[in-house]
Amino acid sequence: MERRYMPVVIFLAAITVGIIIMVVISVVQNKPLYQKYKYGIVLDAGSSHTSVFIYEWPAEKENNTGMVQQKHTCNVKGKGISSYSANPQGAGASLQECMNEAKQKIPAHRHPETPVYLGATVLDSVALSLKSYPFSYQGARIISGQEEGAFGWITVNYLSENLRKPTGTLGALDLGGASTQITFVPQQKIESSDNSIDFRLYGNNYHLYTHSFLCYGKDQALKLSMGKKLESTLKTDPIELRDPCFHPGYKVPRTVPDVFNTPCTKELKLANENFLHVGLGNWSQCQQSIRKVFNTSICSYSKCSFNGVFQPSVYGDFGAFSAFFFVMDFLNLTSDSLATTKEKLAAYCSTPWEKIVGNHPKIDQKYLSEYCFSATYILTLLEDGYKFTSNNWKDIRFIKKIGDSDAGWTLGYMLNLTNMIPAEAPDMPLMPYGGYVTFMFFFALLILVLLLLVYLYFHRSTRTAQKDII
Ligand SMILES: Nc1ncnc2c1ncn2[C@@H]1O[C@H](COP(=O)(O)OP(=O)(O)O)[C@@H](O)[C@H]1O
Ligand SMILES: [Ca+2]
């Protein structure tokens, strides 16, 4: 090749090298920092259990939706710290095993900056105990039923990454032992201010309906229902409480205080305190008896759920979690139509108790004996209480987790307290890192091809010129 073209070639080579260096630097420069993680701990002191949830998230992405995930959960042995009111010291000690697990799961250098939140019922001794761990204890709060409902809604929508969109959110249905919550974005106007809560998240406004029914968790509802039966039968039949919500052949001695030892039922004084709880296994009579704990005759609004509480028509898809899931999943009723659910439940409830025990030898008989009641209660709460119908029954998804994280109020609670859900949408990078690398690679390749074409053009025109001369 002509010496006179050498400068061009050197120039092209220099540009090529320059471009490659530029691409490599910009790719390396924008590589996300290695995944530094941050952690948070939330204790859910429920009415029947206490759970410790450990959450983790990539440090530099904490403001993006969907990034916080549940890393570990630990159920405190026994009935949970709410049951230690008589022995507060025991409550703190009962957390030891789970809190030590948390120390193992979270890298030691992160301990001092890891917040610990305690939600729901609280005992001072628990606060003392939590302060003794190397984490950053952020205090305990009794969260209101409204907050419990709203944080459950935030959790399921954060995990489903719905909070980036102004519409298409999931309603939240939480069933505990003591209380139950319903939270969703309604189509109609919210007529009572107590039931309205507003959020501005990622630049979207959400106007939520929420209500928490204390005493309508499944354990308290059982006491309400048995209390009503006792009032009407024990005066005439002081020995036996014949209960259609329990299996035929089920026969357990109980005492009247067993049923009335709760603020949810008014005291009932009977001469005879002992009675036999006898199962009949009649599903339709069971449903009739459960309907009696819902008062649907009073309503001073355009529409109500029950007990005079305003509720707009349910709308959209719902995630039903906690005991909604435990019960319906155990009975394999999570994906049936309403009609089929009722048929299956009628058959299950009429199954003799010894057959039920034989089929589930490992299940705690306290839980096992109550599934017929609990499932019938769930059906009555959703259909007669919240007014779900056979048409929108399929819109209810019974869920335990979304991804690796449990559906429940604790994640929403932590996200709120750590301000990890910004009111305005954080700036998103033009493209994800992977797309950026691909773009830079093809950009460099294009430049190289262009340079090659220029070189070949010069080379060819040189050859043509030489031929003309010859
Ligand atoms: N594996 C299970 N099977 C059946 N019921 C369960 C299971 N685990 C928990 N539950 C029940 O689910 C409910 C959980 O409620 P919890 O969150 O402790 O109460 P609350 O939310 O009212 O404080 C309780 O009624 C408990 O008995
Ligand atoms: Ca709960």
Side-chain angles (χ1 to χ4, degrees), residues 34-42 53-64 66-71 106 110 113-115 117 158 411 414-415 418-420:
Y34 74 93
Q35 290 293 36
K36 283 197 306 186
Y37 280 96
K38 284 187 174 177
Y39 301 86
I41 302 173
V42 182
F53 292 94
I54 300 173
Y55 295 105
E56 75 172 0
W57 58 92
E60 82 284 352
K61 288 191 188 164
E62 60 188 7
N63 268 349
N64 295 4
M67 298 314 296
V68 178
Q69 296 295 327
Q70 183 176 309
K71 178 183 177 68
I106 297 173
R110 290 286 187 199
E113 70 187 62
T114 298
Y117 300 100
Y158 175 88
L411 175 55
M414 187 194 74
L415 291 171
T418 51
N419 298 314
M420 270 199 280

Side-chain angles (χ1 to χ4, degrees), residues 44 46 49 148 174 176 322 409:
D44 170 0
H49 81 295
E148 191 167 1
D174 183 351
S322 190
W409 59 267

Side-chain angles (χ1 to χ4, degrees), residues 1-258:
M1 177 174 64
E2 291 279 307
R3 285 179 57 78
R4 64 193 167 100
Y5 284 113
M6 278 310 283
V8 174
V9 172
I10 291 165
F11 170 69
L12 292 180
I15 288 204
T16 310
V17 170
I19 286 166
I20 291 170
I21 292 169
M22 182 197 78
V23 166
V24 169
I25 289 171
S26 65
V27 163
V28 171
Q29 172 67 25
N30 289 287
K31 183 168 178 37
L33 303 170
Y34 74 93
Q35 290 293 36
K36 283 197 306 186
Y37 280 96
K38 284 187 174 177
Y39 301 86
I41 302 173
V42 182
L43 282 86
D44 170 0
S47 67
S48 73
H49 81 295
T50 293
S51 299
V52 177
F53 292 94
I54 300 173
Y55 295 105
E56 75 172 0
W57 58 92
E60 82 284 352
K61 288 191 188 164
E62 60 188 7
N63 268 349
N64 295 4
T65 173
M67 298 314 296
V68 178
Q69 296 295 327
Q70 183 176 309
K71 178 183 177 68
H72 181 69
T73 179
C74 171
N75 287 321
V76 172
K77 290 216 173 17
K79 300 280 293 162
I81 55 179
S82 313
S83 59
Y84 284 90
S85 42
N87 158 26
Q89 277 58 40
S94 70
L95 299 176
Q96 204 148 24
E97 187 183 332
C98 284
M99 293 310 288
N100 285 333
E101 265 184 38
K103 280 164 65 176
Q104 304 305 322
K105 296 285 180 185
I106 297 173
H109 71 282
R110 290 286 187 199
H111 287 177
E113 70 187 62
T114 298
V116 179
Y117 300 100
L118 169 64
T121 45
V122 64
L123 294 161
D124 292 347
S125 81
V126 178
L128 211 62
S129 151
L130 288 175
K131 282 175 191 154
S132 70
Y133 293 95
F135 305 113
S136 157
Y137 178 56
Q138 296 295 310
R141 277 190 56 218
I142 295 184
I143 65 167
S144 68
Q146 193 186 62
E147 287 176 311
E148 191 167 1
F151 291 134
W153 182 89
I154 287 187
T155 297
V156 296
N157 284 289
Y158 175 88
L159 292 171
S160 312
E161 303 208 36
N162 291 337
L163 296 180
R164 276 240 171 273
K165 303 171 285 186
T167 55
T169 55
L170 208 53
L173 294 164
D174 183 351
L175 178 65
S179 63
T180 189
Q181 290 79 32
I182 176 170
T183 308
F184 63 100
V185 176
Q187 291 287 295
Q188 290 121 347
K189 182 175 168 312
I190 299 175
E191 296 169 19
S192 66
S193 54
D194 302 356
N195 295 116
S196 151
I197 191 162
D198 290 306
F199 284 122
R200 180 166 174 76
L201 308 168
Y202 295 105
N204 296 311
N205 291 317
Y206 298 97
H207 187 57
L208 295 184
Y209 167 84
T210 185
H211 190 81
S212 176
F213 290 93
L214 194 53
C215 299
Y216 283 81
K218 71 176 187 61
D219 302 336
Q220 293 303 323
L222 176 58
K223 290 177 182 282
L224 292 177
S225 176
M226 285 181 71
K228 283 211 178 285
K229 289 167 191 156
L230 280 174
E231 280 166 1
S232 57
T233 60
L234 276 195
K235 288 178 188 120
T236 52
D237 177 352
I239 306 295
E240 276 191 4
L241 169 62
R242 301 163 60 71
D243 193 332
C245 298
F246 284 73
H247 297 277
Y250 177 83
K251 205 167 278 183
V252 165
R254 288 188 194 285
T255 67
V256 172
D258 273 354

